[in-house]
Amino acid sequence: MITRRGLIVTGGATLLTGCDAWSGSPVLLSAEEAHRYLQRSITGRAALAREFRPEQRSPRFRTNGTANPDTPEYAALAAGRFADWRLQVGGLVRQPLSLSLAQLRALPQRAQITRHDCVEGWSAIGKWQGPRLETILQRAGLRDGARYIVFHCADVFGRRRIPYYESIDLVDAFHPQTILAWAMNDAPLGIGHGAPLRLRVERQLGYKHAKYVMRIEAVASLAGIGAGKGGFWEDIAGYEWYAGI
Ligand SMILES: Nc1nc2c(c(=O)[nH]1)N[C@H]1C(S)=C(S)[C@@H](COP(=O)(O)O)O[C@H]1N2
Ligand SMILES: [Mo]
């Protein structure tokens, strides 16, 4: 019996219980359907990324992309050790939020030691800690129609000052390992790695892990954001929006 998913295998058939079952009669799955269901929960998008032991962490974890956002606004926040920084949560939510670092640290936390894989061909293992994105989205309350979560970052690129941003769908937003990390390797996140807050979305490549997150926006469509492809590198270099690993 797999209690976590409420899946009970009884002889030839399988009973699917839990939330779904409360509203109606239990669903009877054939052996083949049960197998497919189990297979999905192990290998599908709900599957967990591998987690490592503390001693497996990389001695050096390089930074990539922006290592210090070049704007007066960010410089002022960093000078004040992010005491005036607030994470804004808005868009298709019932209750817009404005959260300080202290408030984010007071939420239930998750810590995980995972491998970061950059599309440029390097990897590093580090420990990340912060609240789950799901916890924050639940407090804000997604409205009907919300389909993507957009992360607006503090850093800008080039002479046209194009802001970095990224987006994920709700499957990844509610994935248990999707967190907003304020700590790395048991210390507050350094500026190079995205202080004060960066996304960890462990089933996707490095460029999806938005650093310097300032604002989270729930949207129905990515069409109105940036050039419409769902992320900075997606817009300017044709990177895949879904970068699953
Ligand atoms: N805001 C922002 N987030 C970003 C980037 C960036 O340039 N700006 N680079 C991305 C890329 S390509 C990678 S590999 C990782 C690097 O994270 P690190 O600097 O902590 O190694 O951040 C990602 N998130
Ligand atoms: Mo990357």
Side-chain angles (χ1 to χ4, degrees), residues 193-205:
H193 291 294
L197 197 73
R198 65 103 49 87
L199 175 67
R200 293 299 308 172
V201 50
E202 303 292 355
R203 301 291 313 283
Q204 294 210 46
L205 287 172

Side-chain angles (χ1 to χ4, degrees), residues 59-128:
R60 201 182 108 73
F61 198 122
R62 57 170 284 187
T63 61
N64 203 31
T66 303
N68 191 356
D70 171 29
T71 73
E73 293 82 9
Y74 184 83
L77 289 168
R81 306 186 80 222
F82 303 105
D84 295 331
W85 173 91
R86 296 288 181 279
L87 173 68
Q88 307 294 339
V89 183
L92 293 173
V93 297
R94 282 192 292 275
Q95 177 63 63
L97 305 174
S98 172
L99 300 167
S100 68
L101 268 180
Q103 287 173 310
L104 289 164
R105 289 189 185 119
L107 292 172
Q109 303 285 299
R110 181 182 167 96
Q112 57 207 26
I113 301 175
T114 52
R115 194 185 65 214
H116 179 98
D117 295 313
C118 174
V119 73
E120 293 164 21
W122 58 273
S123 299
I125 296 173
K127 178 177 176 182
W128 305 96

Side-chain angles (χ1 to χ4, degrees), residues 14-62:
T14 300
L15 213 50
L16 188 58
T17 65
C19 304
D20 296 344
W22 293 114
S23 52
S25 49
V27 187
L28 219 44
L29 302 181
S30 70
E32 193 191 317
E33 285 168 332
H35 181 258
R36 208 180 307 136
Y37 177 89
L38 278 174
Q39 196 67 28
R40 275 210 197 111
S41 57
I42 295 163
T43 62
R45 294 199 46 208
L48 297 179
R50 180 173 171 196
E51 294 192 18
F52 296 81
R53 296 187 304 279
E55 65 272 20
Q56 291 176 297
R57 283 178 297 173
S58 304
R60 201 182 108 73
F61 198 122
R62 57 170 284 187

